[in-house]
Amino acid sequence: MSGTAVSGKGPRKPRVSLFVTCLVDLMRPSVGFAAVKLLEDAGCVVDVPVQTCCGQPAFNSGDRGTARDLAEQVITAFRGYDYVVAPSGSCAGTIKVHYPEIFADDPNWLPKANELAARTYELTSFLVDVMGVASVDARYDGAVTYHDSCSGLRELKVKAQPRKLLATVDGLTLVEMTDSDVCCGFGGTFAVKYSDISGAIVDAKVKNIDATHAPTLLAGDLGCLMNMAGKLSRDGRPVAVRHVAEVLAGMTDEPPIGETKED
């Protein structure tokens, strides 16, 4: 399906369903609102269907039964839209890459999984690669550094897209950190099962963040951001942590992740 289909009344706006993600819904709703603004500014009609978890934690833990049940709910909830967009490389990657794996031996559900996978995108990738967005109308004063989340980078090839959009934000300077494409140590349930290893990985990550002297850290996955924000806070490093969508949308009134209005 195409967002530029021609009807009798002219080009039709793409109908986009926003996959909010569990963490955004529960921990950082401002990311969802920022995603809606960016999509609408790009010329999309946005809907937010009733939804549940994509099933990634269950899938990564080997609980294929629960992952399958959740995947069936997502496939059903997101039928009929031109595109499905998530402000998360990990959730979008689960739908786009792993749903076809979950249903590989099911001739009834596999076509549905493949169809959904074909129209599912991470937010910045969708804006740049599908909608052709070349710039955003936003301002953010100061230097930022950017962390490439594993799933978005490796499963969906999301790397240049957020940087292309950030380059158009007035007042913003991007300072690349060493090993921006190396894991932050979160990995969902990995951080719980292997906390010592996770701690060592995030320790190396925050040292690279600190070395940039950028007062703001951005990324496209809330799980990674919460993990890094927690470590930065515990170490007493005064770095503001935000989802890239908030900056691109010019919606930075909320305190940085892990902070309150009183901080």
Side-chain angles (χ1 to χ4, degrees):
M1 288 178 287
S2 171
T4 57
V6 177
S7 68
K9 298 181 179 179
R12 177 175 64 83
K13 290 186 176 182
R15 293 182 65 237
V16 172
S17 53
L18 180 67
F19 189 86
V20 177
T21 83
C22 298
L23 287 179
V24 168
D25 182 37
L26 296 172
M27 307 298 295
R28 192 75 173 178
S30 57
V31 174
F33 293 121
V36 170
K37 181 180 185 299
L38 288 166
L39 292 168
E40 290 182 339
D41 286 351
C44 302
V45 175
V46 184
D47 192 14
V48 183
V50 176
Q51 56 194 268
T52 185
C53 176
C54 68
Q56 181 190 105
F59 181 81
N60 289 345
S61 299
D63 185 357
R64 296 302 174 90
T66 299
R68 179 191 172 95
D69 290 343
L70 291 168
E72 289 181 3
Q73 292 182 46
V74 171
I75 291 171
T76 300
F78 286 84
R79 287 182 302 186
Y81 294 95
D82 295 329
Y83 301 102
V84 177
V85 176
S88 163
S90 59
C91 295
T94 296
I95 297 171
K96 198 170 187 73
V97 177
H98 298 302
Y99 276 18
E101 296 175 7
I102 292 172
F103 297 104
D105 298 325
D106 189 327
N108 181 43
W109 279 95
L110 180 58
K112 301 174 186 179
N114 285 332
E115 191 273 338
L116 177 61
R119 55 189 173 87
T120 297
Y121 292 86
E122 181 273 341
L123 176 63
T124 62
S125 174
F126 178 75
L127 293 171
V128 173
D129 300 331
V130 178
M131 297 304 297
V133 175
S135 64
V136 294
D137 182 14
R139 182 173 189 87
Y140 191 82
D141 293 316
V144 306
T145 193
Y146 192 88
H147 165 72
D148 296 291
S149 302
C150 292
S151 294
L153 177 66
R154 292 165 177 81
E155 293 180 343
L156 304 177
K157 310 304 180 187
V158 177
K159 185 176 178 71
Q161 301 94 325
R163 289 170 170 82
K164 179 177 181 178
L165 296 177
L166 287 171
T168 69
V169 176
D170 290 340
L172 183 148
T173 301
L174 176 63
V175 181
E176 295 285 2
M177 74 174 86
T178 300
D179 294 334
S180 67
D181 59 351
V182 172
C183 180
C184 74
F186 177 60
T189 56
F190 174 87
V192 178
K193 292 181 177 179
Y194 306 102
S195 58
D196 290 344
I197 299 174
S198 174
I201 295 172
V202 74
D203 183 62
K205 174 60 67 171
V206 298
K207 288 178 181 176
N208 289 336
I209 294 168
D210 193 50
T212 67
H213 302 292
T216 300
L217 167 67
L218 304 179
D221 271 272
L222 190 53
C224 300
L225 288 163
M226 291 171 62
N227 185 49
M228 293 182 290
K231 178 60 176 174
L232 288 163
S233 177
R234 292 191 297 274
D235 286 359
R237 302 175 192 262
V239 177
V241 181
R242 294 189 177 277
H243 193 286
V244 66
E246 296 174 314
V247 170
L248 294 177
M251 296 173 63
T252 55
D253 290 339
E254 287 294 315
I257 295 167
E259 299 182 19
T260 64
K261 295 184 185 295
E262 290 74 27
D263 288 345

